[in-house]
């Protein structure tokens, strides 16, 4: 894509959804870290179902540590990999208490020292809570970046670097949300719904599905 095409790409997404947000539910920075950590290899819908009752009771790292690993497992046992995730959440909560005064740090290098928090999770927290211009590349963004020609790369890190270089203002803050939502609901993995996409003339995907498949 050219610079003008990229600008138009995001202009259309912004016009359609001016203030996109993560679909994860949370009440503070700590709950956001926990929710994103739990969302690895799970859907936001599934995480929200598991955390609604949990977050009604647990709002701080201290409360989570007091709940304990077994207590946490009871809340999140419907989520994939819940055993390892419960262990990590308790460990990251204790680390926040011990090293950060129970506050979530606003620095990526510090965030990724928390158990269960990788670069993608850190980028989500920095973007959603601290309003930093980060690009959290998940499977949706990896697919959309490559399929459309916006940011091609074989790995999330490669796509992230391309996005950081190519996404212009004033779209940088919300770019990763637009791309996730577009990949989740329109540019789907199995059959992209090109017939209802407002970006088809900008997209370089050669196998566009321009008619809705008959069932």
């Amino acid at each position: 894509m050219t610079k003008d095409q990229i600008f138009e790409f995001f202009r259309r997404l912004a016009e359609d959804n001016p203030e996109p947000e993560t679909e994860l539910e949370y009440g503070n920075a700590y709950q956001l870290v926990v929710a994103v950590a739990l969302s690895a290899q799970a859907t936001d819908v599934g995480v929200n179902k598991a955390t609604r009752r949990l977050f009604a009771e647990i709002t701080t790292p201290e409360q989570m540590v007091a709940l304990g690993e077994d207590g946490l497992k009871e809340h999140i046992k419907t989520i994939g990999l819940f055993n390892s995730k419960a262990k990590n959440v308790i460990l990251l909560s204790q680390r926040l208490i011990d090293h950060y005064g129970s506050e979530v740090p606003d620095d990526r290098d510090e965030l990724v020292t928390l158990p269960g928090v990788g670069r993608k999770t850190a980028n989500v927290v920095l973007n959603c809570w601290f309003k930093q211009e980060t690009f959290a590349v998940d499977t949706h963004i990896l697919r959309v970046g490559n399929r459309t020609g916006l940011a091609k790369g074989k790995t999330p890190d490669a796509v992230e670097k391309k996005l950081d270089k190519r996404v212009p203002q004033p779209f940088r803050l919300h770019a990763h949300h637009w791309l996730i939502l577009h990949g989740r609901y329109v540019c789907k993995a199995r059959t992209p719904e090109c017939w209802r996409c407002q970006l088809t003339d900008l997209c370089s995907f050669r196998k566009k599905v321009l008619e809705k498949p008959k069932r």
Side-chain angles (χ1 to χ4, degrees):
M1 285 188 192
T2 66
K3 287 184 178 180
D4 287 345
Q5 287 175 321
I6 292 172
F7 189 92
E8 179 63 14
F9 183 98
F10 284 106
R11 187 200 67 76
R12 293 181 194 178
L13 291 174
E15 184 177 54
D16 185 58
N17 184 7
E19 295 292 333
E21 296 179 348
T22 178
E23 294 183 323
L24 289 172
E25 298 172 2
Y26 60 94
N28 58 30
Y30 170 68
Q31 290 183 340
L32 175 61
V33 172
V34 173
V36 182
L38 293 176
S39 71
Q41 299 181 40
T43 65
D44 289 358
V45 172
V47 172
N48 289 338
K49 286 181 179 179
T51 59
R52 282 186 190 123
R53 189 164 63 88
L54 174 68
F55 287 167
E57 301 173 12
I58 307 298
T59 61
T60 68
E62 287 85 356
Q63 291 172 336
M64 188 70 78
V65 171
L67 176 65
E69 193 173 324
D70 290 339
L72 177 56
K73 286 179 183 179
E74 284 301 308
H75 283 275
I76 66 170
K77 59 187 177 183
T78 56
I79 301 175
L81 306 175
F82 72 93
N83 284 313
S84 60
K85 288 178 180 179
K87 181 178 180 178
N88 281 334
V89 168
I90 297 301
L91 289 173
L92 77 82
S93 300
Q94 190 63 58
R95 183 167 177 80
L96 287 173
I97 295 168
D98 294 342
H99 296 275
Y100 298 104
S102 299
E103 297 294 325
V104 175
D106 61 356
D107 179 84
R108 183 188 290 116
D109 290 339
E110 293 181 335
L111 281 168
V112 297
T113 68
L114 301 176
V117 175
R119 185 179 180 88
K120 180 172 74 74
T121 296
N123 281 340
V124 172
V125 173
L126 293 173
N127 182 267
C128 294
W129 189 261
F130 296 106
K131 306 305 178 186
Q132 294 184 23
E133 295 172 356
T134 60
F135 304 92
V137 179
D138 67 352
T139 56
H140 296 300
I141 294 183
L142 188 69
R143 180 175 66 255
V144 172
N146 280 282
R147 186 182 274 172
T148 63
L150 171 66
K152 292 186 176 182
K154 293 183 179 180
T155 66
D157 284 351
V159 171
E160 181 185 342
K161 288 178 181 177
K162 286 276 184 69
L163 289 172
D164 194 26
K165 184 178 180 180
R166 305 190 78 185
V167 177
Q169 294 292 7
F171 308 116
R172 292 177 63 81
L173 180 62
H174 294 316
H176 100 268
H177 280 126
W178 284 317
L179 294 173
I180 287 173
L181 294 172
H182 190 66
R184 186 174 289 165
Y185 297 113
V186 180
C187 196
K188 298 178 181 179
R190 185 169 297 177
T191 305
E193 299 182 0
C194 309
W195 67 86
R196 66 182 188 89
C197 177
Q198 76 269 48
L199 306 170
T200 51
D201 59 312
L202 302 172
C203 173
S204 65
F205 187 50
R206 293 181 179 180
K207 299 180 181 179
K208 293 185 177 73
V209 184
L210 297 174
E211 293 186 6
K212 186 176 182 179
K214 296 179 181 180
R215 300 197 177 191

